[in-house]
Amino acid sequence: MFERFLSAMPGGRRRTVYRPPTARRMVAAMLGAALTALWLVPLPAAAQAQAQAKQAQEQVLTWTAGNSVSEYVSAPTTATAGPATLVFENSTETGNTMGMSHTLTFDVSKPGYNHDVDVDILANPFDSNGGRYEVQVDLTPGTYYYFCKINGHTMSGELVVTDDGGGDTTAPQVSGNVSGKQDPDGNYVGSATVTVSANDSESGVDSVEYEIDDTGFQPYSGPVTVDDPGEHSVQYRATDAAGNVSQVGSVSFTVVESAPEDTTAPDVSASVSGDRNTDGAYVGSATVTVSASDSESGVATVEYALGGASYTQYSGPVTVNQPGEHTVSYRATDTAGNTSTPKTVTFTVAEPAPEDTTAPQTSATVSGNQDTDGNYVESATVTVSAQDGGSGVDSVEYALDGQPFAAYSGPVTVNQPGEHTVQYRATDTAGNTSTPKTVTFTVVEPAPEDTTAPQVSASVSGDQDADGNYVGAATVTVSASDSESGVATVEYALDGASYTQYSGPVTVNQPGEHTVQYRATDTAGNTSTPKTVTFTVAEPAPEDTTAPQTSATVSGKQDTDGNYVESATVTVSAQDAQSGLADIEYSVDGDPYALYTGPIVVNQLGEHTVSYRATDTAGNTSTPKSVTFTVAEPAPEDSCPDSDTRDTVIVGDEDTGVDNANTGDGCTINDLIAEDATYANHGAFVSHVNRVTNELMAADVISGKEKGRIMRAAGRSDIGR
């Protein structure tokens, strides 16, 4: 086994080399793991001082990886400037049961981060080191950005390095979590387990304490189980090595008696997700997510097996990135010991697409209250969007009025009066940055005080019978506008009841005559005079059990064989005389059905079949129908339909012996010489032949020698004399 370390290179950079691990570093790695553990057991003061002295002498920062491609299992967040040992372990002990490779790579180019440490460790549970590596570095104050550079992996994070020194005056962070089987009312069945966690990024946690139901604090050494039925409260607190004590936190819960014996196995299901190609294969990797539920004793464990391997504990979505066909078996066991019958999902993983070299697509919109000149009153909000169909968007930035670009984390509001320009750009995870774009707008002061009430109107919609009654239900939609201060509230009252807040269309389904009053108030407090709409709701017609009627036509330019030249347009129609049409769907050449929104243009050459069907609002779907047709290429255009097809070029009565070649558009050399055309004189004909033969030579249709033979024949001819 070897470990890696950094040695100095010109320019302040570091290079990574390997050397055998020493006993001192192995001890330091174990000490670092103990110091970064989440659950802390109080140490005696002397032992704690010794550990702190050891840590000050040599920092050990540990990263671990497992089956996830989206996050490291554990990673440090802070460190102190100076020498440090970086440990990266991707092994079966850290949860990697799939043999997946990961890297720990420190970025040396990303703006805003330290670039003086060059670490790039590739680890696999089955490599010669068993997936565990160490590297020696010198850290400087600032922030380092690290990530896994394997394609499809999105693991990343930041390490903040501070200067050594300064006293710790900040108390630890402490939290509590209650776990256990719960009934539908949220009570814990049989028992509840309280887990307390504490962390301190400065001097470190010294002790954690808890108490149950105000019975007095005592040392916390691990999860606390409460099994007495009734309501309970657990308080907790933590103290760091500098003596700072956290505020007391608490969790409350209720424990109830256990339910009767469970003899039913859990329900278990699985889904496969990921980017898919046109063949349905998952590109680069596929993620299998297993779900299990048990309404009685509760799920105890979920297991899965990849291919023919043994079952292993399922702790989260399983990512498979080896190309080929795969089968994942899965099962679940409840706390009563009932195990479900194993189920399987089968899928195929394909090689990932080529490297992404295309920058993201970006766009921006400006929103806010506008005056009649299009200016934004008081403020304008700029919303930036970015998409990347390759490696995915990594970051979005914006710059206001020529200032430096800053990270975009949400809509940007500008409230300073005047004209403004916002630039924006995006970078994908492959490092491609889009060309900056801009939006320009003007912010103006608000208008004078508003004393005019809003404009308000209402409309009634729904299916109507021949008498104008609304069948089954009527929907009243109220609209309000205010060109000054803007609408604040809209209210309505049904059939003489009190006014209530209007938040969307109001549906009335009680048969009989109804009256809806409505009014609106603007932000200046002006309320409109109430208005009314009156309508009648009638009983709905009998249930619809008949599917819609459908038909389709094919249109486009056709050749003599009835084929459609270059493209064919399929137009689908559907009608439903009862509940009404809900949607129309179509399928081209056996593809999955898609929603039909307008005529379908098919321009791929060959024979095609378009299937179509429709569904009404009652859920009745018509039997699929189809139309079949052929799309053909257009016939080539012939520039010389009455072409001179003699074997050789003949000028006047003289046979030049030159091959009368087709020049590519249906015309021969004799067609281009056009000896039967009208010319002003013989010289004009000779000049015409000279121009034609020059063009034919340039196109490599004739040689210079053949041009000479044609020109001599033209000069000796009587054409144009």
Side-chain angles (χ1 to χ4, degrees), residues 89 114 138 143 145 266 313 345 355 401 408 434 447 478 510 591 602:
E89 184 171 357
N114 291 6
D138 285 322
T143 303
Y145 178 81
Q313 185 80 16
V345 289
E355 181 183 1
D401 296 334
Y408 175 87
S434 64
V478 182
Q510 290 297 316
D591 288 344
V602 180

Side-chain angles (χ1 to χ4, degrees), residues 106-117 139-145 159 161:
F106 273 50
D107 186 273
V108 294
S109 62
K110 193 178 185 70
Y113 293 91
N114 291 6
H115 300 148
D116 58 326
V117 172
L139 300 176
T140 57
T143 303
Y144 293 85
Y145 178 81
L159 177 66
V161 178

Side-chain angles (χ1 to χ4, degrees), residues 322-401:
Q322 292 298 317
E325 186 174 8
H326 301 277
T327 297
V328 172
S329 302
Y330 54 94
R331 64 189 183 189
T333 301
D334 60 23
T335 57
N338 304 299
T339 300
S340 64
T341 302
K343 298 181 181 179
T344 62
V345 289
T346 300
F347 53 90
T348 299
V349 176
E351 292 286 351
E355 181 183 1
D356 177 13
T357 59
T358 303
Q361 298 291 318
T362 59
S363 62
T365 59
V366 184
S367 60
N369 293 326
Q370 290 180 274
D371 60 21
T372 55
D373 297 324
N375 301 317
Y376 290 88
V377 180
E378 287 195 289
S379 67
T381 299
V382 180
T383 302
V384 181
S385 299
Q387 302 82 35
D388 189 87
S391 58
V393 176
D394 178 63
S395 63
V396 180
E397 299 173 293
Y398 77 97
L400 174 62
D401 296 334

Side-chain angles (χ1 to χ4, degrees), residues 142-166:
T143 303
Y144 293 85
Y145 178 81
Y146 60 86
F147 62 98
C148 177
K149 70 177 184 180
I150 294 178
N151 190 26
H153 294 202
T154 58
M155 306 152 60
S156 65
E158 295 180 347
L159 177 66
V160 178
V161 178
T162 58
D163 282 320
D164 189 12

Side-chain angles (χ1 to χ4, degrees), residues 2 156 181 305 351 385 405 436 456 484 494 553 583 586 614 652 654 671 701 708:
F2 291 86
S156 65
K181 179 186 174 183
E351 292 286 351
S385 299
F405 275 95
V456 63
E484 298 184 43
L494 175 61
T553 61
D583 59 55
Y586 73 96
E654 183 174 344
D671 294 330
V701 176

